[in-house]
Amino acid sequence: MKFKRTASFALAAALVSGSVPALALTADQVKGIAMDAYIYGYSMMTTEVTRRQMTHTTDVSLKELKAPMGQFLNVPRYPPAEYRGISAPNADTLYSVAWIDVSEPQVFSHPAMPDGRFYMFPMYDLWMGDFTSKGSRTAGQGAANYLLTRSDWKGEVPKGMVHVPVETRYMIILGRTYANGTQADYKAVNGLQSQLKVTPLSAWGTDYKSMPAALDPNPPFSMTDKPQKAILDMGTKGYFDMMTRIMCKDAPPVGADTPMIEKMAQIGLKPCEPFDMGKFDTQTQAALKDLPQEALKRIGDNQKSLGQIVDGWQITKGLGEFGTDYMKRAVVAAFGWPSNVQEDAVYPYTMVDSTGAALNGAHKYTLTFAKAQEPPVKGFWSITMYQIDQGWWFVPNALNKFTVSPRNDLKKNADGSVTLYFQTESPGKDKEANWLPAPKGDFNLMLRMYWPQESNPSILNGSWTPPKVVKVD
């Protein structure tokens, strides 16, 4: 369910005017409300910090993964084996990313995607909600022009455009286009990426060229630290001051958030107003001092609660649209920002074999899909292996192979089943199509399922789940 922000500005105004009464609270009660408020705002704060960091540049930079507002950053290849940027990198699709300010209406254009090529352009607001996803699943393969505006915009939608209202001032398009990893296919996808464009509606039909805005000479937080650290370094007051400032106009709360907003007001946390910690007694101020560290720990402690474990696989669904599940939203923001709706993609992963022992390159493993029981998808599927070293990273190997999927022309067994091999040494030339080389130490496996099938068998309703990983030596 998606929540509209109707009447949210009125709610904010009521809070600012003080019509929601403050209550006499103990230090523990104040800290409890502040903890809930911190978790409530964490997704928005993470998104805004990420936006500021990724757009703090005057030119598109592949090395730093940055681009000015309103310009696409197109990644032309899969990351190399030594890549250590974003944990759990992708070796199936090429990314195209654009941050957009919709205080002025903007048009997002993409070309037709020929030959049934899978693509998706999920769009996220500042609260990290996946408010719409345009792609093969939802829009077909044709070219399209999407008019992106604030939700209260009253203008006329030009012919041939699809209107997409946005509930926050800033948004991000995090596009993915399938590529099979060959040089010829990279070239084809790069040609499609070059046609992605964001154009102000006022400049539509002209030879528009984006001009980057001047950089902030004194940014309020680090432009190089990871968002988690940048947020921690703000401290309690810095965090809440930035949060309430953004909630004032750029990211107003939704109507469903009213109970939370009223609770926050009890300790003086209101949209458009700075947070006055000085009004609390010494004991309460001391209790709030370490709130950022304690909140992040609480968020981390909830990481495993996102999904269920079936035969060793962690299966997480119901992401992208969080409603009032603020903790779930915060966990995704902290450890997997952002997330796809389950109809677009589901990513089960496992770190253990069928006995519960950690996967390790000292052993050999297999995974067998029974006949006609490969992952049921309308898009595509793959399994990626990651070595575990302060993150999840590709495993360097002589084949330069990071995933195994049907594009490897998988060899079937005599009974029609398909067995995959995960080990350091080759299982034999006749089986190498089905093999992923393993590292010497611990590793995990991630199954990416794009556009999962909704009818049985389906991972969405639990009628299909990944088979166990079996140790064979």
Side-chain angles (χ1 to χ4, degrees):
M1 180 177 181
K2 298 185 180 181
F3 296 99
K4 295 295 182 183
R5 300 179 190 270
T6 53
S8 54
F9 286 106
L11 171 62
L15 294 171
V16 172
S17 69
S19 60
V20 179
L23 304 178
L25 302 168
T26 66
D28 286 343
Q29 289 173 324
V30 171
K31 186 173 182 179
I33 292 173
M35 176 68 75
D36 290 344
Y38 197 101
I39 291 168
Y40 164 73
Y42 199 81
S43 65
M44 183 264 283
M45 292 291 285
T46 301
T47 306
E48 176 63 2
V49 168
T50 302
R51 180 190 73 82
R52 295 281 295 268
Q53 290 180 336
M54 288 187 69
T55 60
H56 191 72
T57 180
T58 56
D59 298 294
V60 175
S61 171
L62 284 172
K63 181 179 180 180
E64 295 183 309
L65 293 180
K66 293 183 176 183
M69 291 289 298
Q71 294 188 39
F72 268 98
L73 169 71
N74 293 311
V75 179
R77 298 289 186 273
Y78 300 156
E82 63 273 14
Y83 174 74
R84 290 295 182 274
I86 300 172
S87 185
N90 178 328
D92 292 303
T93 64
L94 299 185
Y95 284 94
S96 297
V97 184
W99 289 94
I100 302 170
D101 180 349
V102 296
S103 56
E104 176 186 357
Q106 306 285 324
V107 182
F108 160 51
S109 306
H110 72 73
M113 300 292 177
D115 305 318
R117 184 181 296 275
F118 180 86
Y119 75 101
M120 53 188 258
F121 290 106
M123 303 180 193
Y124 303 87
D125 61 24
L126 277 182
W127 291 98
M128 203 184 71
D130 184 346
F131 61 89
T132 191
S133 184
K134 305 301 183 182
S136 297
R137 178 180 68 86
T138 58
Q141 302 302 115
N145 295 307
Y146 296 103
L147 177 62
L148 311 172
T149 75
R150 286 300 292 260
S151 57
D152 57 354
W153 180 75
K154 303 298 184 182
E156 182 177 346
V157 179
K159 184 177 180 180
M161 292 186 188
V162 176
H163 185 209
V164 178
V166 187
E167 305 293 344
T168 62
R169 174 180 177 179
Y170 301 109
M171 58 166 286
I172 180 175
I173 298 174
L174 188 55
R176 299 171 180 84
T177 306
Y178 177 79
N180 66 21
T182 65
Q183 292 304 312
D185 206 49
Y186 280 146
K187 183 177 180 180
V189 177
N190 296 163
L192 297 171
Q193 290 176 306
S194 69
Q195 299 175 65
L196 302 176
K197 194 170 184 181
V198 177
T199 308
L201 180 60
S202 60
W204 184 250
T206 70
D207 186 19
Y208 173 76
K209 288 184 171 49
S210 177
M211 296 295 292
L215 299 184
D216 184 346
N218 298 298
F221 47 81
S222 170
M223 292 292 104
T224 56
D225 287 337
K226 291 184 177 180
Q228 270 193 14
K229 184 177 186 304
I231 291 172
L232 283 176
D233 288 348
M234 293 176 188
T236 304
K237 177 172 171 55
Y239 180 96
F240 285 137
D241 282 353
M242 179 174 164
M243 173 179 155
T244 55
R245 184 175 65 252
I246 298 170
M247 288 174 64
C248 184
K249 294 182 180 179
D250 291 347
V254 300
D257 293 342
T258 299
M260 174 60 70
I261 302 305
E262 292 179 342
K263 180 192 291 188
M264 288 166 48
Q266 294 175 22
I267 62 170
L269 267 174
K270 304 176 183 180
C272 312
E273 291 188 6
F275 183 49
D276 182 9
M277 288 181 59
K279 69 182 178 183
F280 298 114
D281 59 35
T282 303
Q283 181 183 2
T284 302
Q285 291 185 49
L288 293 174
K289 181 180 178 182
D290 295 327
L291 181 67
Q293 291 79 9
E294 294 176 20
L296 185 58
K297 182 181 184 302
R298 182 174 295 188
I299 292 169
D301 290 343
N302 278 269
Q303 193 171 1
K304 290 188 177 180
S305 68
L306 283 185
Q308 59 177 330
I309 297 177
V310 180
D311 291 337
W313 291 86
Q314 174 88 16
I315 303 174
T316 302
K317 295 174 287 188
L319 302 181
E321 300 175 348
F322 300 96
T324 57
D325 192 340
Y326 307 131
M327 177 58 78
K328 187 175 187 178
R329 189 174 70 182
V331 171
V332 172
F335 301 102
W337 178 96
S339 61
N340 299 304
V341 293
Q342 64 182 24
E343 292 80 8
D344 273 343
V346 177
Y347 298 161
Y349 70 88
T350 183
M351 306 177 76
V352 299
D353 64 20
S354 59
T355 69
L359 300 175
N360 188 282
H363 305 288
K364 298 178 181 179
Y365 305 89
T366 61
L367 179 153
T368 299
F369 296 115
K371 182 178 180 180
Q373 287 297 308
E374 293 180 33
V377 293
K378 295 182 180 179
F380 67 91
W381 68 267
S382 73
I383 293 180
T384 309
M385 179 184 290
Y386 299 108
Q387 59 181 328
I388 303 172
D389 178 21
Q390 297 182 330
W392 297 358
W393 311 112
F394 289 150
V395 179
N397 60 83
L399 299 180
N400 201 38
K401 183 179 180 182
F402 309 132
T403 67
V404 61
S405 71
R407 71 172 182 252
N408 298 118
D409 295 326
L410 301 176
K411 307 302 180 186
K412 294 185 177 182
N413 301 316
D415 64 356
S417 63
V418 175
T419 298
L420 306 180
Y421 302 88
F422 310 105
Q423 56 192 60
T424 57
E425 302 298 326
S426 171
K429 283 291 184 183
D430 60 327
K431 299 176 180 177
E432 282 191 353
N434 299 31
W435 170 48
L436 268 184
K440 297 295 184 183
D442 291 345
F443 66 90
N444 63 18
L445 301 170
M446 179 178 285
L447 171 60
R448 284 183 165 87
M449 300 177 64
Y450 283 93
W451 193 357
Q453 185 170 292
E454 294 186 18
S455 58
N456 293 351
S458 172
I459 195 168
L460 299 182
N461 62 20
S463 59
W464 184 94
T465 55
K468 299 176 182 179
V469 177
V470 179
K471 187 172 74 171
V472 295
D473 64 327

